[in-house]
Each structure stands twice: as C-alpha cells, then as structure tokens.
C-alpha cells in the first residue's frame, strides 16, 4: 500500500500538524463540488440522529460513503463494538490520506474508491455483507448513472435486517431508494445547517 501524502515515515514527521478539517473540507469541495454535499459539517444533533438507529451491539461491519474529513468517524468508532470493523469509502484520495493519519484505530479502514464498488471493497477485507451503510453523498448531483448504481449495490450488500442510512439536503434521494427498499423511514433534523432530510431504508 502506498504511503499517504501527509504520512511521515518516522515519529518526527508523523507528529507534524495535519491540515485543519476545515481546510481539507474546503479544498475537497472546490476540487470536486458535485461529490461533496455541503461545505458545512454535520451538527452533533445530526450525527446523533443518524447513529441512534443501528443496533450497535450486533454490528460486525459498518460502512460509510463519503466520510470526508471524518465528521462522523469518531462517533462511529465510539459506538462500534471491539470486534467490529468500520470501512469508509471516498473517491477523494486527499480525504483518505487525511483519515489514515487522523484515526489510528485498528477497526477503521479508509478506502479510496467508489461506493458503487462496495461489494468488491468489503470482499477484499473479508466480508460478504454489511450491517449498516451510512451515506451523505449528494445523490441528486452525482454523475449520471452513479446514484442508481450505488443504491442497487448497497441493497445487495446489506444483511437482512440492516439499513441504508442516508442524509441529504434535498429529498430527491427517495427516488433512488424506492426501487430497492419497501420500508423507508424519514425524518428532518432541524438542528442542522441546512436542515437535513434523513432516510432509513430497511432491508427486510
């Protein structure tokens, strides 16, 4: 595996200060605006709203699409069982490099890749299915064909009883979920800027 761009090969260089999350996030937004949902990080209320849904005691694999600079990452790790695994997939190599340095928890695996390839990615790490998948990817602005491919792959990769946890600033994502999921719970988190449309698509 190649060394992350910010990585340091010795203790002195690894101790060097990382770019701030805000600087990384802003840089990622301007490089790939259609792949970043917002330049404003999710609020604590929003994080709690999404992460209160999983039955954490039973989670073996939790997957996140578009982790960015890790807004949800520590909260996920705080809830994840000791024997659980958390795979975070992002198309931005700068974000992945940043996450590899920022989070040293052995349960955390940042992967540079596309969410549409989630089945292949988790298989490479010894898993067949995931318990839950979290996504803040902006489905309505993704390149043509990408959003339907991600939705289909996510439904296939989820275990029965698992859920696709999606937060968006537009409710259009429901159009991509309904072809695959019959049970979709919905809420709005008003204590977020802007308010977030939250969808919980359950695989029965």
């Amino acid at each position: 595996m190649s060394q992350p761009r910010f990585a340091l090969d010795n203790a002195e260089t690894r101790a060097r200060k990382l770019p701030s999350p805000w600087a990384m996030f802003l840089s990622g937004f301007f490089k790939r605006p259609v792949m970043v949902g917002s330049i404003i990080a999710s609020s604590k209320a929003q994080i709690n709203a999404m992460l209160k849904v999983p039955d954490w005691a039973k989670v073996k694999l939790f997957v996140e699409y578009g982790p960015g600079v890790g807004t949800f990452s520590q909260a996920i790790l705080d809830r994840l069982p000791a024997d659980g695994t958390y795979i975070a997939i992002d198309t931005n190599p700068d974000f992945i490099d940043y996450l590899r340095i920022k989070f040293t928890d052995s349960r955390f695996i940042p992967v540079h890749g596309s969410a549409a390839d989630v089945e292949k990615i988790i298989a490479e790490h010894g898993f067949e299915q995931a318990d839950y998948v979290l996504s803040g990817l902006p489905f309505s602005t993704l390149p043509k064909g990408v959003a339907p491919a991600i939705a289909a792959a996510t439904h296939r990769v989820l275990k029965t009883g698992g859920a696709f946890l999606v937060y968006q600033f537009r409710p259009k994502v429901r159009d991509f979920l309904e072809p695959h999921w019959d049970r979709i719970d919905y809420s709005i988190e008003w204590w977020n800027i802007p308010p977030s449309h939250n969808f919980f698509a359950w695989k029965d």
Side-chain angles (χ1 to χ4, degrees):
M1 179 183 298
S2 62
Q3 289 293 319
R5 276 165 224 179
F6 305 116
L8 301 172
D9 295 330
N10 53 56
E12 180 181 353
T13 51
R14 290 188 70 86
R16 188 180 302 166
K17 185 179 180 180
L18 285 169
S20 71
W22 170 248
M24 287 296 302
F25 202 79
L26 197 61
S27 173
F29 178 81
F30 285 119
K31 283 183 179 180
R32 305 180 183 192
V34 300
M35 301 300 291
V36 178
S38 171
I39 62 172
I40 301 174
S42 294
S43 67
K44 184 175 180 179
Q46 171 64 4
I47 293 170
N48 289 334
M50 300 308 295
L51 298 187
K52 71 180 181 181
V53 172
D55 183 355
W56 287 101
K58 298 179 180 179
V59 174
K60 297 301 181 184
L61 177 62
F62 189 94
V63 176
E64 181 181 10
Y65 301 155
V69 296
T71 301
F72 280 80
S73 296
Q74 190 58 59
I76 292 169
L77 290 168
D78 289 344
R79 292 163 170 79
L80 191 69
D83 62 347
T85 298
Y86 164 30
I87 295 177
I89 304 170
D90 206 298
T91 58
N92 187 329
D94 293 338
F95 286 163
I96 293 301
D97 289 348
Y98 181 85
L99 293 173
R100 284 175 180 154
I101 301 300
K102 184 176 180 181
F103 298 98
T104 58
D105 193 309
S106 61
R107 298 170 298 167
F108 182 47
I109 304 174
V111 176
H112 177 222
S114 170
D117 298 323
V118 60
E119 293 163 291
K120 176 176 179 288
I121 290 169
I122 70 166
E124 289 173 346
H125 292 88
F127 294 92
E128 293 183 1
Q129 290 187 298
D131 297 283
Y132 299 91
V133 177
L134 171 70
S135 177
L137 295 176
F139 273 69
S140 61
T141 63
L142 293 177
K144 185 177 180 180
V146 173
I150 290 174
T154 303
H155 186 267
R156 292 192 300 268
V157 87
L158 277 174
K159 292 180 180 178
T160 300
F164 189 21
L165 319 174
V166 186
Y167 59 99
Q168 304 276 283
F169 300 129
R170 301 178 184 178
K172 185 174 175 55
V173 67
R174 184 182 287 274
D175 294 343
F176 300 105
L177 300 176
E178 286 184 338
H180 306 285
W181 285 272
D182 294 325
R183 180 160 64 105
I184 302 173
D185 297 331
Y186 169 74
S187 67
I188 296 179
E189 179 51 61
W190 296 103
W191 292 101
N192 196 70
I193 301 174
S196 176
H197 298 268
N198 300 334
F199 296 85
F200 308 93
W202 294 90
K203 187 172 182 178
D204 294 324

